[in-house]
Amino acid sequence: MNQYRTHTCGALRSSDIGKDVTLSGWLHNRRDHGGVFFIDLRDHYGITQLVVQSDAPFFDALTHLQKENVIRIKGKVEKRDPETYNPRIDTGEVEVRIAEYDILGPAEPLPFAVYPEDEVAEELRLTYRFLDLRRQQLHRTIMLRSAVTARIRERLTAQGFTEFQTPILTASSPEGARDFLVPSRLHPGSFYALPQAPQQFKQLLMVAGFDRYFQIAPCFRDEDARANRSPGEFYQVDLEMAFVEQNDVFAVIEDLFTDLFATFSTKRVDAAPFRRIPYREAMLKYGTDKPDLRNPIVIRDLTDVFRGSEFSIFAKQIDTGAIVRALPVRKACDQPKSFFNGMIDWATSSEVGADGLAYLIWNNGEVKGPIAKVLSDERMAQIREACEITDGDVVFFVCDKPQKAVDIAAKVRTRLGELLNLIEPDCFRFCWIVDYPMFEADEVSGAISFSHNPFSMPQGGMDALQNTPPLDILAYQYDIVCNGEELSSGAIRNHRPDIMYKAFQIAGYTPEEVDAKFGGMIKAFKLGAPPHGGIAPGLDRLVMLLADCQNLREVIAFPMNQRAQDLLMDAPRPVAPQQLQELHIRTVVPEGNNNR
RNA sequence: GGGGUGGUAGUUAAGUUGGUUAUAACGCCGGCCUGUCACGCCGGAGGCCGCGGGUUCGAGUCCCGUCCACCCCGCCA
């Protein structure tokens, strides 16, 4: 091929025996037996065993060469004895006898081993990310990400989507997350913002008549990190379609996800169409709008059963507005007392914040548990019926103010699923959460505000806005959830200025305020906008699921750490005073901060 | 901004109720070994125990402060 190699390190087979070859790569591993010396040579494609014996003139020098030096060797491909085949590498039936070698890229001692891939502090991995990326595990994940991205482009293009680029330097958006700002040199005191998402641009492309848009879009939000949320920047598979209803968007995503998960994972995947769960049903049954459907526990509301009951602790709380949520667990009656006590301790810890956790155990025709003797037979029968109890089942009860009870029940559901090993293994369970409420009331003031995206179309349109109590209005707003992980929100957009002004009016905005904040969009919508809608699944989270990673940084080649620093490039960092001057910027660093 | 966990050799960790010279594995350096593929064996070097202060005859260990990392809450329309 060229001066560096005739073959890659993953290429040689028995059919190449006898050939003179040139290989280049990293010195992956070495085994020195005194008279004979083995090298595993590694490149992107694989590993080839090299061998040299002590009669070679360069033997001594080569045996002192350390791992991760980049070398080139020339030699002859030889057959290995069958008993020395290495089935774990593709080239395991052959080896190359080194005739000559030279060092292409010398390596100083490493801060941590590329091989074997022992655990290393993440800070160190990030500081030397290029070494980390040499390791097989991360190397493969990044390759998977690339393959997934390519497949998405293929699949969406086949479905008639067109890929666009939208501006990176744009305007600060009035709502949502904190923006990253970029000072303008030409316009002193003014700033660009990096886009939190190309939301407005993609809608404008629909107004422009492009019909089906997509983009592997970089998004920037200046918010704090989580294990499944990068600080600063992340990527969305952003798409938008004109003249569509909700189900059209679902069909595109179901096709895409079914294909991606079948192609890149061996786990079982739900068949399309994915289950649709109305928001209110999800909040009741799972306590969250991102339910993990691998967990079989389904929550019930038993407020009415306990209202005015003999169990006065619950009855009194219900009288002051509390609700009761029940979590039936099948065949859990044999758990030891310590398990139930442990659940109570955990539930009442500050992490969860429950006042208590009641439970009943049905075992051999008897009902046991601290509250068993307090409740009448009649109520016990009602519980039994509501929770569809059969012998051996256990029910946990949470009683609290509505929002808190829902949250606690969700946590208890997750906890029980984990502790009792109820989570269905090796599968992806998808669902759409639909029928989000358009508005919500502030708990304290009662003020009406948008509960989600103000640009979603209300179900029922103008008529609903005019004639339905605001809190009862639903939106064409949806989320797709997989294994408890929110992959994306989307919506059929509100493309009608009249409906938009009305929706904003309900949320307390005057037309003037709407014009001031979203004038650009409104102007476009006044000049002939098609009905349209879309969605934007997070690429990083998608790859995370496919690669079975617990942390987003494992699917990003060059991630920032939790404090939004790039330890490899040393960003962010102070800049030269002259740069600030050109930008008309003066910094005021808080006292005690060393500016790093 | 708040809570949790952690910080000991290049790396990963152990270090007991405070008590002689702070351990081990891998890596590194030197030596031995002709068929390994986590090669094996012998020897050696390597430490601001995150940093600062305090208690004590004596601190890796106890106390206070501080810095750093990760996880969580807030935040993420």
Side-chain angles (χ1 to χ4, degrees):
Chain A
M1 285 194 260
N2 62 26
Q3 60 163 316
Y4 297 115
R5 59 189 179 193
T6 56
H7 299 75
T8 69
C9 293
L12 296 174
R13 298 291 182 273
S14 295
S15 55
D16 297 304
I17 288 166
K19 285 184 187 166
D20 288 307
V21 298
T22 306
L23 299 179
S24 290
W26 285 262
L27 204 163
H28 183 66
N29 199 17
R30 12 169 296 147
R31 291 173 294 282
D32 184 355
H33 290 253
V36 59
F37 180 58
F38 298 101
I39 288 175
D40 291 334
L41 192 68
R42 181 196 74 237
D43 67 10
H44 176 76
Y45 305 94
I47 287 174
T48 300
Q49 175 165 284
L50 314 177
V51 63
V52 61
Q53 277 175 334
S54 48
D55 54 1
F58 50 81
F59 185 82
D60 258 9
L62 190 54
T63 57
H64 283 87
L65 198 59
Q66 288 312 314
K67 291 183 188 181
E68 297 306 312
N69 277 279
V70 177
I71 60 173
R72 167 175 53 192
I73 66 99
K74 294 183 182 186
K76 198 178 281 295
V77 183
E78 294 185 353
K79 182 175 172 48
R80 293 208 212 180
D81 286 337
E83 60 268 26
T84 65
Y85 282 178
N86 184 350
R88 298 194 301 180
I89 55 176
D90 293 338
T91 61
E93 293 188 7
V94 299
E95 63 193 2
V96 176
R97 185 161 302 271
I98 304 173
E100 53 182 289
Y101 84 97
D102 59 326
I103 300 171
L104 300 176
E108 294 172 13
L110 306 170
F112 61 87
V114 171
Y115 175 85
E117 300 190 20
D118 294 332
E119 208 166 299
V120 179
E122 193 170 21
E123 187 179 7
L124 199 59
R125 291 175 54 200
L126 293 176
T127 306
Y128 296 92
R129 190 60 164 180
F130 46 89
L131 288 184
D132 198 14
L133 285 162
R134 276 186 209 165
R135 298 213 213 197
Q136 199 171 57
Q137 192 182 329
L138 189 56
H139 202 87
R140 279 191 184 154
T141 307
I142 298 303
M143 286 302 289
L144 171 69
R145 183 189 177 112
S146 171
V148 169
T149 309
R151 186 80 179 191
I152 289 168
R153 289 203 160 97
E154 244 174 71
R155 199 79 185 180
L156 289 177
T157 304
Q159 291 208 50
F161 285 84
T162 307
E163 185 168 7
F164 289 80
Q165 280 83 49
T166 52
I168 300 300
L169 292 174
T170 181
S172 179
S173 57
E175 311 249 314
R178 201 175 290 115
D179 282 317
F180 279 100
L181 297 177
V182 179
S184 164
R185 173 179 58 84
L186 295 175
H187 302 276
S190 285
F191 294 81
Y192 302 93
L194 307 183
Q196 296 182 21
Q199 183 66 33
Q200 297 200 41
F201 291 111
K202 72 173 178 177
Q203 290 192 243
L204 290 170
L205 287 167
M206 293 299 98
V207 177
F210 286 105
D211 207 66
R212 291 190 157 201
Y213 148 99
F214 90 97
Q215 176 175 201
I216 310 290
C219 304
F220 306 90
R221 295 175 193 178
D222 189 2
E223 298 293 349
D224 290 346
R226 287 289 181 280
N228 65 356
R229 200 169 79 208
S230 309
E233 54 185 80
F234 61 97
Y235 281 81
Q236 287 183 342
V237 182
D238 193 33
L239 53 97
E240 195 77 8
M241 309 152 72
F243 304 110
V244 290
E245 298 176 343
Q246 193 165 283
N247 278 333
D248 298 313
V249 179
F250 289 3
V252 166
I253 290 296
E254 283 166 353
D255 172 85
L256 181 65
F257 280 13
T258 304
D259 177 76
L260 289 178
F261 282 79
T263 306
F264 296 109
S265 174
T266 53
K267 296 186 180 180
R268 277 172 292 122
V269 189
D270 281 336
F274 301 149
R275 223 175 116 189
R276 272 80 156 153
I277 305 175
Y279 171 81
R280 290 200 167 100
E281 182 185 329
M283 294 308 286
L284 170 62
K285 289 185 171 175
Y286 313 105
T288 171
D289 63 353
K290 40 181 184 174
D292 187 347
L293 297 181
R294 294 173 303 172
N295 183 335
I297 298 172
V298 176
I299 302 167
R300 334 266 159 139
D301 184 274
L302 291 195
T303 310
D304 288 341
V305 174
F306 283 91
R307 179 171 287 122
S309 76
E310 310 78 18
F311 185 37
S312 58
I313 298 175
F314 278 18
K316 277 182 194 160
Q317 287 198 67
I318 291 168
D319 289 341
T320 62
I323 61 170
V324 176
R325 289 287 153 98
L327 298 99
V329 188
R330 307 303 166 200
K331 306 295 169 247
C333 66
D334 292 332
Q335 289 300 321
K337 181 87 178 159
S338 60
F339 167 78
F340 293 96
N341 288 338
M343 279 302 295
I344 292 173
D345 288 348
W346 169 80
T348 54
S349 70
S350 60
E351 182 192 342
V352 182
D355 293 332
L357 187 66
Y359 60 91
L360 290 170
I361 305 168
W362 279 263
N363 193 10
N364 296 323
E366 279 182 81
V367 190
K368 292 186 288 188
I371 66 169
K373 45 193 176 302
V374 185
L375 290 165
S376 70
D377 290 349
E378 189 197 340
R379 291 191 200 272
M380 207 64 90
Q382 288 174 344
I383 293 169
R384 193 177 176 133
E385 190 189 349
C387 294
E388 297 166 67
I389 297 298
T390 58
D391 202 57
D393 291 354
V394 171
V395 178
F396 288 87
F397 300 94
V398 173
C399 179
D400 217 309
K401 298 283 184 232
Q403 187 58 56
K404 212 175 149 197
V406 166
D407 288 346
I408 291 167
K411 285 180 180 164
V412 172
R413 178 174 179 270
T414 302
R415 179 80 171 181
L416 288 169
E418 286 168 359
L419 289 183
L420 298 175
N421 239 335
L422 304 176
I423 310 295
E424 193 183 345
D426 301 323
C427 67
F428 292 109
R429 302 294 308 275
F430 284 95
C431 61
W432 293 100
I433 307 298
V434 299
D435 298 341
Y436 276 85
M438 186 82 191
F439 301 102
E440 63 188 12
D442 186 276
E443 268 186 41
V444 184
S445 66
I448 303 282
S449 63
F450 291 106
S451 65
H452 243 79
N453 183 332
F455 300 114
S456 301
M457 183 65 95
Q459 295 185 22
M462 188 61 113
D463 180 58
L465 293 183
Q466 285 169 336
N467 302 312
T468 308
L471 296 180
D472 291 340
I473 299 172
L474 301 177
Y476 286 116
Q477 167 85 39
Y478 38 83
D479 279 11
I480 186 161
V481 175
C482 179
N483 292 2
E485 196 75 53
E486 182 196 312
L487 285 179
S488 180
S489 286
I492 298 300
R493 320 297 173 188
N494 186 348
H495 69 288
R496 291 275 300 267
D498 52 337
I499 301 177
M500 199 173 292
Y501 284 123
K502 179 67 185 170
F504 272 97
Q505 182 201 325
I506 292 171
Y509 295 85
T510 64
E512 291 71 31
E513 285 170 324
V514 177
D515 285 339
K517 283 186 162 187
F518 310 106
M521 289 291 289
I522 299 266
K523 195 196 299 171
F525 289 165
K526 281 177 175 167
L527 298 174
H532 61 284
I535 192 163
L539 177 65
D540 311 272
R541 282 189 193 180
L542 202 57
V543 178
M544 214 171 136
L545 284 175
L546 290 169
D548 207 11
C549 293
Q550 302 308 306
N551 191 304
L552 209 55
R553 291 184 293 274
E554 300 304 317
V555 303
I556 299 171
F558 299 102
M560 295 200 280
N561 68 5
Q562 184 162 281
R563 294 215 310 161
Q565 295 167 302
D566 180 339
L567 296 175
L568 182 57
M569 303 303 287
D570 191 21
R573 56 176 154 177
V575 297
Q578 197 197 331
Q579 286 176 287
L580 290 178
Q581 230 168 52
E582 280 181 345
L583 293 167
H584 327 288
I585 294 274
R586 205 172 289 147
T587 58
V588 183
V589 179
E591 202 148 335
N593 187 317
N594 62 3
N595 203 16
R596 296 315 302 263

